[in-house]
Amino acid sequence: MKKKGGNKLRVCVDYRDLNARTFKNHFPLLFISTIVDEVAGKKLDSFMDGYSRYNQVSITHEDWHKTAFTSPWGTFVYIVMPFGLCNALATFQTVMTYVFSELLRKLMVVFIDDFSTQTS
C-alpha cells in the first residue's frame, strides 16, 4: 500500500497470476481515427470523463474471492471491478456499449471512459 495525497492509502494489488488464468475478453475497442471520423463536421456539445470507471461495474458474488488481498488490517475482497484486471477495459467498454446502444453513432461516441455527445 502506498500513501496518497491527503494521507489516504492507495491499494495496489498484483493480479498477474489471476490475469494469466483469465479467459480474455476481446471486445473490439474503437480506433482513435474512427472516433475522429464520428465527430468530424459535428458540433461537439460535451466531453465527459468517466471518473472511477471500473468501480462502477459489479463483480458477481461467486468471483469476489478472486480479488482477495491481505493487508495489515485484514483480508478484503473487491465487490466492484478493481484496477489491474486484464479484462477491465473490454468489460467497461462492453457495458457502456450496451447502456448507450441507442445513442451510439447517432448522438454519442464512447471510448472506454471518455464520452462525447455531438449534434450536426
Side-chain angles (χ1 to χ4, degrees), residues 30-104:
L30 293 175
F31 291 107
I32 295 299
S33 59
T34 304
I35 295 168
V36 171
D37 290 344
E38 290 284 331
V39 298
K42 296 183 178 175
K43 178 181 171 187
L44 187 64
D45 290 329
S46 64
F47 180 82
M48 300 160 278
D49 182 49
Y51 179 73
S52 297
R53 59 194 172 261
Y54 312 136
N55 298 130
Q56 310 304 312
V57 180
S58 298
I59 295 176
T60 58
H61 185 269
E62 58 268 11
D63 289 331
W64 287 1
H65 70 282
K66 295 175 184 175
T67 66
F69 65 94
T70 303
S71 77
W73 303 279
T75 300
F76 300 90
V77 297
Y78 280 97
I79 62 172
V80 293
M81 191 168 38
F83 175 78
L85 298 180
C86 63
N87 285 334
L89 288 174
T91 300
F92 190 77
Q93 185 72 43
T94 301
V95 170
M96 293 300 98
T97 299
Y98 175 76
V99 168
F100 295 112
S101 62
E102 302 219 359
L103 300 174
L104 292 179

